Amino acid sequence: MRGRLFNTRAVARASGFLLVAVAIVALAVRFDHDGAKPHAPAPRRAESTDPLAAELARCQSIGMAAQNDGACAAAWAENRRRFFTYRPAHSATPPASHPTPKTDAEEP
């Protein structure tokens, strides 16, 4: 006989493949079981008392008609002004308009 009847390396290799296959199946079953649970709905944000937020929500709800709405244009302008205006964290009031910096050409 050329080979032995019980090849240890072949049995070890087959056992390794079987172990990996069992691990993959076990993980697939576990993740499938976790995915079957219904998810709780996302918590709703508390309604804002900010009138600008309410107006922006109204503008969003009317869709493309908001482009021709003057109140929406004013709300967007105010939202941009608030977003792009620097306000330190400790400041409670919005800053007054800042003077424009002078350039070298404007100085006497």
Side-chain angles (χ1 to χ4, degrees):
M1 285 178 82
R2 263 176 32 188
R4 292 180 284 179
L5 182 63
F6 186 71
N7 189 348
T8 308
R9 290 171 51 189
V11 171
R13 188 178 308 129
S15 298
F17 285 131
L18 183 63
L19 182 64
V20 169
V22 168
I24 290 172
V25 169
L27 286 173
V29 168
R30 174 170 162 63
F31 287 132
D32 185 47
H33 178 68
D34 289 345
K37 293 180 184 175
H39 293 284
R44 293 184 56 106
R45 294 188 317 189
E47 292 298 322
S48 173
T49 59
D50 184 17
L52 178 63
E55 181 64 20
L56 289 172
R58 184 191 71 82
C59 294
Q60 184 180 13
S61 69
I62 63 175
M64 294 297 288
Q67 290 179 344
N68 300 327
D69 189 357
C72 289
W76 290 327
E78 176 63 17
N79 191 42
R80 281 190 300 273
R81 186 195 65 78
R82 285 186 185 183
F83 183 78
F84 289 114
T85 301
Y86 173 73
R87 182 175 41 210
H90 64 279
S91 173
T93 60
S97 62
H98 298 290
T100 57
K102 292 185 177 184
T103 61
D104 293 334
E106 293 178 4
E107 292 183 16

